[in-house]
Amino acid sequence: MYGTIESLDRLIEKFASLPGVGKKTAERLAYGLIMSSEENVRSFSDAMLKAKENIHLCPVCQSLTDKELCSVCANEARDHSVICVVEDPKVVLSLEKVRQFSGVYHVLHGSISPTHGITPDKLKISELTERVAKGGIREVILATNATFSGDTTALYISQLLKEYDVKITRLAYGIPVGADLEYADSITLLKALEGRREF
Amino acid sequence: MYGTIESLDRLIEKFASLPGVGKKTAERLAYGLIMSSEENVRSFSDAMLKAKENIHLCPVCQSLTDKELCSVCANEARDHSVICVVEDPKVVLSLEKVRQFSGVYHVLHGSISPTHGITPDKLKISELTERVAKGGIREVILATNATFSGDTTALYISQLLKEYDVKITRLAYGIPVGADLEYADSITLLKALEGRREF
C-alpha cells in the first residue's frame, strides 16, 4: 500500500509544495516519476540542482539568467532609458516575441496582495526605484497584469515614481480585463504596447 | 530572458515529461522551484532519488512498496484467495479506506488501449494469470475503471482466466460510468464491492 511509504509521501509533499499543485496532482506526478526509469529520475534530480545552481536574478532587471547580466540588460543596442515593469519573468518572453519593444525590463516577481501576505517589500520594487533614482530613465511602462493586484501594484509604483522626472505609462486596453499577461497573444500585446497611456 | 537559459529549459522539459503536464504548467513548476530556497531544491532532488531508490513493485501484487512485500501481501490476516484487480496503485488506497475488503490486490499499471500503444503485454497481466495458475485463488474481482479501456481490460482478463476454476466478478454499478476509480468516494466504492456480479 503506497499511502504508508515514507519516501513516497515525502516526494508527494515536495510536488505539492510547488505553485498550483494540489494533493491529487502531486500524487499523480510522484507516481509518474517513480514509474519512469532510474536514469530519468537521476537526470531530473540533476536538472533541478543544475538549474538552481546556474540561475540567479539579473542584478539590474531581476529577471532570471545564467549569465552575469541577462541578455536584454547586456545588449547595448536596447534602449536602456525605457523600462517595462512586469510581474513575472515569463511575461518578458511573451513581450520579446512581439519583436516591437526595444527597451529593457524590470521583473517584480509578483504583485501587491496584502490578503496573501504580499506587501511591497516582498517585491523587487525598491530595486526599480533605485534604477530610476540613478537617472537616465525616460519612461517606465507599467505592464503588470490587468487584475486587481496588478492594478494596485501599478498605482503604488506610479505614486513612488512621481518625484522623478520620468514618464509613467500603463499598457493600453487590448488586454482582456482579468486575464494573465503570460497567456496574451502577440497581437494583443502589440496593441497594448502601442496604445499605452500616461498613468 | 529566461527562454534561452539552457539549464532552465532542461528543467522545464523534465517537468513536461511527467503525466498530464503541458508546456505552460512545466514552466510554472520550474519557475516555482527555482524561486524556492536552495535547501528546498536540494531536499526535493534528494526526495526524488530516495523514493526511486527505495520504492519498487511488490513481487506478488505489483503495487508500490519499500518493503520486500507490500503491507497487504505481507498481512497473513488477509484473505489471499480473493484478488482485487486494479489499474493503478492509487486505487488500492481508495479501496483500503472502505475498510470492508479483506482480500488482496493486483495492480495492472494501466489498461488496454491499443490506440495509445498499450497492449496487454505492457501491463502486469501475465503476473496475474501466474498467480491464479499457482492455485488457491477463489475469486478475482475485476476493479478496473468504468471506462472503455477498463471494460476492455476486464473482458480480456476474464477470457484469460476462464480455464481456471475461479469465480470472476466485476465491480457493480454504483460507480458512475466514465469516472475514474481513484476519485470515487468510500460509500460508492462500498456499494460497488457489495453488488459485484459474476463476469
Side-chain angles (χ1 to χ4, degrees):
Chain A
M1 248 183 57
Y2 90 109
T4 52
I5 305 172
E6 204 189 308
S7 55
L8 186 58
D9 285 348
R10 207 176 134 232
L11 183 59
I12 290 170
E13 204 181 277
K14 281 293 173 189
F15 272 114
S17 74
L18 292 173
V21 178
K23 185 79 196 298
K24 282 279 176 191
T25 304
E27 284 179 2
R28 179 167 48 79
L29 297 178
Y31 172 70
L33 186 71
I34 290 297
M35 294 304 288
S36 73
S37 70
E38 198 179 314
E39 193 198 330
N40 180 58
V41 177
R42 264 181 209 290
S43 69
F44 200 145
S45 157
D46 185 58
M48 278 187 172
L49 296 175
K50 284 267 165 58
K52 183 63 187 171
E53 193 185 311
N54 294 338
I55 300 167
H56 55 94
L57 301 186
C58 169
V60 178
C61 75
Q62 313 296 325
S63 186
L64 300 178
T65 182
D66 57 354
K67 307 276 187 329
E68 199 187 332
L69 284 180
C70 78
S71 57
V72 174
C73 289
N75 186 347
E76 290 187 9
R78 310 277 303 211
D79 183 352
H80 289 258
S81 70
V82 179
I83 300 177
C84 182
V85 179
V86 298
E87 292 182 20
D88 195 296
K90 292 197 285 290
V91 178
V92 173
L93 195 70
S94 299
L95 283 164
E96 283 298 286
K97 278 185 192 151
V98 183
R99 292 169 192 279
Q100 203 77 5
F101 179 66
S102 61
V104 291
Y105 296 97
H106 191 89
V107 182
L108 299 172
H109 292 279
S111 54
I112 300 171
S113 180
T115 52
H116 295 94
I118 306 171
T119 46
D121 58 294
K122 298 256 166 68
L123 305 173
K124 305 294 183 188
I125 291 177
S126 60
E127 286 82 355
L128 174 65
T129 52
E130 275 166 36
R131 277 177 86 178
V132 175
K134 270 185 194 164
I137 307 298
R138 242 178 343 115
E139 181 177 355
V140 172
I141 306 170
L142 299 171
T144 50
N145 286 335
T147 56
F148 180 72
S149 65
D151 283 337
T152 305
T153 310
L155 190 64
Y156 180 85
I157 293 174
S158 74
Q159 295 294 326
L160 278 183
L161 298 183
K162 247 183 185 165
E163 59 173 298
Y164 303 101
D165 180 27
V166 61
K167 189 175 167 190
I168 301 168
T169 55
R170 176 96 170 97
L171 279 196
Y173 47 85
I175 306 160
V177 171
D180 200 312
L181 273 189
E182 188 187 333
Y183 298 96
D185 62 275
S186 297
I187 296 163
T188 308
L189 280 169
L190 180 60
K191 289 259 177 266
L193 270 170
E194 280 173 348
R196 66 183 186 263
R197 58 184 171 68
E198 195 94 23
F199 202 91
Chain B
M1 247 184 57
Y2 90 109
T4 51
I5 306 172
E6 204 187 310
S7 55
L8 186 59
D9 284 348
R10 208 176 133 230
L11 183 60
I12 291 170
E13 204 181 277
K14 280 294 173 189
F15 272 114
S17 74
L18 293 173
V21 178
K23 183 81 195 297
K24 282 280 177 191
T25 305
E27 284 179 0
R28 180 166 49 78
L29 298 177
Y31 172 69
L33 185 71
I34 290 297
M35 294 304 288
S36 73
S37 70
E38 197 179 315
E39 193 198 329
N40 180 58
V41 176
R42 264 180 210 293
S43 69
F44 200 146
S45 156
D46 184 59
M48 278 187 172
L49 296 174
K50 284 267 165 57
K52 183 62 186 172
E53 192 184 312
N54 293 337
I55 300 167
H56 55 94
L57 301 185
C58 169
V60 178
C61 75
Q62 313 296 324
S63 187
L64 300 178
T65 183
D66 56 353
K67 307 274 186 334
E68 199 186 332
L69 285 180
C70 78
S71 57
V72 174
C73 288
N75 186 348
E76 290 187 10
R78 309 276 305 211
D79 183 352
H80 289 258
S81 69
V82 179
I83 300 177
C84 182
V85 178
V86 298
E87 294 181 20
D88 196 296
K90 292 196 285 289
V91 177
V92 173
L93 194 71
S94 298
L95 284 163
E96 284 298 286
K97 279 185 192 151
V98 183
R99 293 169 190 280
Q100 202 76 5
F101 179 67
S102 60
V104 291
Y105 296 96
H106 191 90
V107 182
L108 299 173
H109 292 279
S111 53
I112 299 171
S113 180
T115 50
H116 296 93
I118 306 171
T119 45
D121 59 293
K122 298 254 165 71
L123 305 173
K124 305 293 183 187
I125 292 177
S126 60
E127 286 82 354
L128 175 65
T129 52
E130 274 165 35
R131 278 177 87 177
V132 175
K134 270 184 192 164
I137 308 299
R138 244 179 341 116
E139 182 177 353
V140 172
I141 306 171
L142 299 170
T144 50
N145 286 337
T147 56
F148 181 72
S149 64
D151 284 338
T152 305
T153 310
L155 189 66
Y156 180 85
I157 292 174
S158 74
Q159 296 294 327
L160 278 182
L161 298 182
K162 247 183 187 165
E163 59 173 299
Y164 304 102
D165 180 27
V166 61
K167 189 174 164 190
I168 301 168
T169 55
R170 177 96 170 95
L171 279 197
Y173 47 84
I175 306 159
V177 171
D180 200 312
L181 273 189
E182 189 187 333
Y183 299 96
D185 62 275
S186 298
I187 297 163
T188 309
L189 280 168
L190 179 60
K191 288 259 175 265
L193 269 170
E194 280 172 348
R196 66 184 187 263
R197 57 184 173 68
E198 195 94 24
F199 203 90

